[in-house]
Amino acid sequence: SQQGEEDPQALSIQEGENATMNCSYKTSINNLQWYRQNSGRGLVHLILIRSNEREKHSGRLRVTLDTSKKSSSLLITASRAADTASYFCATTLIQGAQKLVFGQGTRLTINP
Amino acid sequence: DGGITQSPKYLFRKEGQNVTLSCEQNLNHDAMYWYRQDPGQGLRLIYYSQIVNDFQKGDIAEGYSVSREKKESFPLTVTSAQKNPTAFYLCASRWGAASGANVLTFGAGSRLTVL
């Protein structure tokens, strides 16, 4: 079952602009993570935010979490062509903490 | 270098054949996972294993089988019972116990195509 839904499904912006992706989920979570996938490759972990946190930063990444709305957003500032990839949110449910449930992903294209 | 190695990277199968995808990790991670990814889709969990000689079904286990005889290895067999096996298969691993951060390390994937 898919826990997360991401919006938009695809996003195309110019280099240097900021990119924002959103993730909504259905049930209570322990934490939420964002992963990146280059075409035809495995996923790479970007950042984790716990259910008791509201915002987290890592370099050009900013993640927010609103547990009352069951949603999260990933902001990439000052985008670069190398940021072109698919981005997935993944949730760890409070029950069933062994499993990570992934959203459908947002395909981000950065145009030079 | 530590990491997860999946092989083969590309695999072609005739209908009715079983195939086995290899996943080896040298990260000393306890838990290992298999996910399936279809074009433009997210990842769906096939099987996972928390310790050696133990594994659990994920959301789409039908038509697949696994074994966990060694901590480093978690092979996935796609059987002829899997009706639509063409997909990208991803193996992942996680260090440590059930509690705490559930951060996964992924292999590069294996692309299976049924002819």
Side-chain angles (χ1 to χ4, degrees):
Chain A
S1 60
Q2 294 292 338
Q3 156 83 322
E5 294 187 1
E6 294 175 71
D7 171 59
Q9 290 187 336
L11 178 62
S12 181
I13 61 173
Q14 294 300 119
E15 194 167 19
E17 294 180 339
N18 295 342
T20 299
M21 290 158 271
N22 303 296
C23 170
S24 60
Y25 56 91
K26 299 174 183 176
T27 58
S28 296
I29 61 171
N30 188 307
N31 63 62
L32 185 144
Q33 303 175 45
W34 286 89
Y35 287 79
R36 166 194 169 124
Q37 183 183 34
N38 285 15
S39 181
R41 305 297 299 275
L43 278 70
V44 175
H45 178 256
L46 294 176
I47 194 167
L48 177 149
I49 186 166
R50 300 185 187 278
S51 58
N52 61 354
E53 297 176 311
R54 292 297 168 258
E55 186 171 314
K56 204 162 184 180
H57 295 254
S58 177
R60 294 184 295 112
L61 305 180
R62 171 178 170 254
V63 170
T64 62
L65 179 64
D66 187 336
T67 53
S68 66
K69 295 181 179 179
K70 292 187 169 57
S71 67
S72 173
S73 67
L74 171 67
L75 168 67
I76 303 174
T77 60
S79 63
R80 306 167 181 169
D83 294 328
T84 294
S86 291
Y87 293 81
F88 295 88
C89 68
T91 51
T92 301
L93 307 183
I94 290 177
Q95 292 182 336
Q98 292 301 314
K99 299 194 296 183
L100 203 58
V101 182
F102 286 83
Q104 304 278 16
T106 292
R107 173 69 188 169
L108 175 64
T109 302
I110 308 298
N111 302 303
Chain B
D1 290 337
I4 298 179
T5 301
Q6 289 188 238
S7 63
K9 187 170 178 62
Y10 299 97
L11 184 61
F12 298 89
R13 185 192 98 171
K14 294 182 179 179
E15 285 191 18
Q17 287 182 334
N18 292 355
V19 293
T20 297
L21 307 181
S22 170
C23 178
E24 302 279 333
Q25 54 101 357
N26 60 4
L27 300 166
N28 199 32
H29 283 180
D30 297 300
M32 297 187 74
Y33 301 78
W34 274 105
Y35 285 91
R36 169 181 171 140
Q37 185 177 32
D38 293 285
Q41 302 292 315
L43 279 65
R44 293 185 288 168
L45 182 63
I46 305 173
Y47 269 98
Y48 62 105
S49 168
Q50 300 175 51
I51 56 172
V52 174
N53 293 322
D54 185 54
F55 48 83
Q56 289 79 41
K57 293 182 178 180
D59 299 317
I60 56 165
E62 185 176 352
Y64 299 97
S65 66
V66 293
S67 62
R68 187 85 188 275
E69 297 177 0
K70 298 186 301 181
K71 187 175 184 179
E72 302 79 18
S73 179
F74 191 40
L76 173 74
T77 297
V78 184
T79 75
S80 56
Q82 170 51 236
K83 298 306 178 187
N84 185 23
T86 295
F88 189 51
Y89 291 88
L90 287 158
C91 180
S93 68
R94 176 183 56 79
W95 177 86
S99 60
N102 197 17
V103 175
L104 300 186
T105 301
F106 281 85
S110 292
R111 188 169 299 279
L112 173 63
T113 302
V114 173
L115 303 174

Coordinates of all heavy atoms in Angstrom, one line a residue, chain B residues 80-113:
Chain B
S80 N 8.2 -18.3 -11.8 CA 7.3 -18.3 -12.9 C 5.8 -17.9 -12.5 O 5.0 -17.6 -13.3 CB 7.3 -19.6 -13.6 OG 6.9 -20.6 -12.7
A81 N 5.6 -17.9 -11.2 CA 4.3 -17.6 -10.7 C 4.0 -16.1 -10.7 O 2.9 -15.6 -10.5 CB 4.1 -18.1 -9.3
Q82 N 5.1 -15.3 -10.8 CA 5.0 -13.8 -10.9 C 4.5 -13.5 -12.3 O 5.3 -13.6 -13.2 CB 6.3 -13.2 -10.5 CG 6.4 -11.7 -10.8 CD 5.2 -10.9 -10.2 OE1 4.6 -10.2 -10.9 NE2 5.0 -11.0 -8.9
K83 N 3.3 -13.0 -12.4 CA 2.7 -12.8 -13.7 C 3.3 -11.6 -14.5 O 3.2 -11.5 -15.7 CB 1.2 -12.6 -13.6 CG 0.5 -13.9 -13.0 CD 0.9 -15.1 -13.8 CE 0.3 -16.3 -13.1 NZ 0.7 -17.6 -13.8
N84 N 3.8 -10.6 -13.8 CA 4.3 -9.4 -14.5 C 5.6 -9.0 -13.9 O 5.7 -8.0 -13.2 CB 3.3 -8.3 -14.4 CG 3.6 -7.1 -15.2 OD1 4.4 -7.1 -16.1 ND2 3.1 -5.9 -14.8
P85 N 6.7 -9.8 -14.2 CA 7.9 -9.6 -13.5 C 8.8 -8.5 -14.0 O 9.8 -8.1 -13.4 CB 8.6 -10.9 -13.6 CG 8.1 -11.5 -14.9 CD 6.7 -11.0 -15.0
T86 N 8.5 -8.0 -15.2 CA 9.3 -6.9 -15.8 C 9.3 -5.7 -14.9 O 8.2 -5.1 -14.7 CB 8.9 -6.6 -17.2 OG1 9.1 -7.7 -18.1 CG2 9.7 -5.4 -17.8
A87 N 10.5 -5.3 -14.4 CA 10.5 -4.2 -13.4 C 12.0 -4.0 -13.1 O 12.9 -4.7 -13.5 CB 9.7 -4.5 -12.2
F88 N 12.2 -2.9 -12.3 CA 13.5 -2.6 -11.7 C 13.5 -3.0 -10.3 O 12.6 -2.6 -9.5 CB 13.7 -1.1 -11.9 CG 15.1 -0.6 -11.5 CD1 16.2 -1.1 -12.1 CD2 15.3 0.5 -10.7 CE1 17.5 -0.7 -11.8 CE2 16.5 1.0 -10.4 CZ 17.6 0.4 -11.0
Y89 N 14.5 -3.8 -9.9 CA 14.5 -4.4 -8.5 C 15.6 -3.7 -7.7 O 16.8 -3.7 -8.2 CB 14.6 -5.9 -8.6 CG 13.4 -6.6 -9.1 CD1 13.3 -6.8 -10.5 CD2 12.4 -7.0 -8.3 CE1 12.1 -7.4 -11.0 CE2 11.2 -7.6 -8.8 CZ 11.1 -7.8 -10.2 OH 10.0 -8.4 -10.7
L90 N 15.3 -3.3 -6.5 CA 16.2 -2.6 -5.7 C 16.4 -3.3 -4.4 O 15.4 -3.6 -3.7 CB 15.8 -1.2 -5.4 CG 15.9 -0.2 -6.6 CD1 15.0 1.0 -6.5 CD2 17.4 0.2 -6.7
C91 N 17.6 -3.6 -4.0 CA 17.9 -4.2 -2.7 C 18.5 -3.1 -1.8 O 19.1 -2.1 -2.2 CB 19.0 -5.2 -2.9 SG 19.5 -6.0 -1.4
A92 N 18.1 -3.1 -0.5 CA 18.6 -2.1 0.4 C 18.9 -2.8 1.8 O 18.5 -3.9 2.0 CB 17.5 -1.1 0.6
S93 N 19.7 -2.1 2.6 CA 20.0 -2.6 3.9 C 19.9 -1.5 4.9 O 20.0 -0.3 4.6 CB 21.4 -3.3 3.9 OG 22.4 -2.3 3.7
R94 N 19.8 -1.9 6.2 CA 19.7 -1.0 7.3 C 20.5 -1.5 8.5 O 20.4 -2.7 8.8 CB 18.3 -0.7 7.7 CG 18.1 0.2 8.9 CD 16.7 0.3 9.3 NE 16.0 -0.9 9.5 CZ 16.1 -1.6 10.7 NH1 16.9 -1.2 11.6 NH2 15.4 -2.8 10.8
W95 N 21.2 -0.6 9.1 CA 22.0 -1.0 10.3 C 21.1 -1.0 11.5 O 20.2 -0.1 11.7 CB 23.2 -0.1 10.5 CG 24.0 -0.4 11.8 CD1 25.0 -1.3 11.9 CD2 23.8 0.3 13.1 NE1 25.4 -1.2 13.2 CE2 24.7 -0.3 13.9 CE3 22.9 1.2 13.5 CZ2 24.8 0.0 15.3 CZ3 23.0 1.6 14.9 CH2 24.0 1.0 15.7
G96 N 21.3 -1.9 12.5 CA 20.8 -1.8 13.8 C 19.4 -2.3 14.0 O 18.8 -3.0 13.2
A97 N 18.9 -2.1 15.2 CA 17.7 -2.7 15.7 C 16.5 -2.0 15.1 O 16.6 -1.1 14.4 CB 17.7 -2.6 17.3
A98 N 15.3 -2.5 15.5 CA 14.1 -2.0 15.0 C 13.8 -0.6 15.3 O 13.3 0.2 14.5 CB 12.9 -2.9 15.5
S99 N 14.2 -0.2 16.5 CA 13.9 1.2 16.9 C 14.9 2.1 16.3 O 16.0 1.7 15.8 CB 13.9 1.3 18.4 OG 15.2 0.9 18.9
G100 N 14.6 3.4 16.3 CA 15.6 4.4 15.8 C 15.3 4.7 14.4 O 14.4 4.3 13.8
A101 N 16.3 5.4 13.8 CA 16.1 5.9 12.4 C 16.2 4.7 11.5 O 17.0 3.8 11.7 CB 17.2 6.8 12.1
N102 N 15.3 4.7 10.5 CA 15.2 3.6 9.6 C 15.8 4.0 8.2 O 15.1 3.9 7.2 CB 13.7 3.3 9.5 CG 13.5 1.9 8.9 OD1 14.4 1.1 8.8 ND2 12.3 1.6 8.4
V103 N 17.0 4.5 8.2 CA 17.6 4.9 7.0 C 18.2 3.8 6.2 O 18.9 2.9 6.7 CB 18.8 5.9 7.3 CG1 19.5 6.3 6.1 CG2 18.2 7.2 8.1
L104 N 17.8 3.7 4.9 CA 18.2 2.6 4.1 C 19.4 3.0 3.2 O 19.4 4.2 2.7 CB 17.1 2.2 3.2 CG 15.8 1.6 3.9 CD1 14.8 1.1 2.9 CD2 16.2 0.6 5.0
T105 N 20.3 2.1 2.9 CA 21.3 2.2 1.9 C 20.9 1.3 0.8 O 20.6 0.1 1.0 CB 22.7 1.7 2.5 OG1 23.0 2.6 3.6 CG2 23.7 1.9 1.4
F106 N 20.9 1.8 -0.5 CA 20.4 1.0 -1.6 C 21.6 0.6 -2.5 O 22.6 1.2 -2.6 CB 19.5 1.9 -2.5 CG 18.1 2.0 -1.9 CD1 17.8 2.9 -0.9 CD2 17.1 1.1 -2.4 CE1 16.5 3.0 -0.4 CE2 15.8 1.2 -1.8 CZ 15.5 2.2 -0.9
G107 N 21.3 -0.6 -3.2 CA 22.2 -1.0 -4.3 C 21.8 -0.2 -5.6 O 20.9 0.6 -5.6
A108 N 22.5 -0.5 -6.6 CA 22.3 0.2 -7.9 C 21.1 -0.4 -8.7 O 20.7 0.2 -9.7 CB 23.6 0.2 -8.7
G109 N 20.6 -1.5 -8.3 CA 19.4 -2.0 -8.9 C 19.7 -3.1 -10.0 O 20.8 -3.1 -10.6
S110 N 18.7 -3.9 -10.3 CA 18.7 -4.9 -11.3 C 17.5 -4.7 -12.2 O 16.4 -4.7 -11.6 CB 18.8 -6.3 -10.8 OG 20.0 -6.6 -10.1
R111 N 17.7 -4.6 -13.5 CA 16.5 -4.5 -14.4 C 16.2 -5.8 -15.0 O 17.0 -6.3 -15.8 CB 16.8 -3.4 -15.4 CG 15.5 -3.1 -16.2 CD 15.7 -1.8 -17.1 NE 16.0 -0.6 -16.3 CZ 15.1 0.1 -15.7 NH1 13.8 -0.3 -15.7 NH2 15.5 1.2 -15.0
L112 N 15.0 -6.3 -14.7 CA 14.6 -7.6 -15.3 C 13.6 -7.4 -16.4 O 12.6 -6.6 -16.2 CB 14.0 -8.4 -14.2 CG 13.3 -9.8 -14.6 CD1 14.3 -10.7 -15.2 CD2 12.6 -10.4 -13.4
T113 N 13.8 -8.0 -17.5 CA 12.9 -7.9 -18.6 C 12.5 -9.3 -19.1 O 13.3 -10.2 -19.3 CB 13.5 -7.2 -19.8 OG1 14.0 -5.9 -19.4 CG2 12.5 -7.1 -21.0

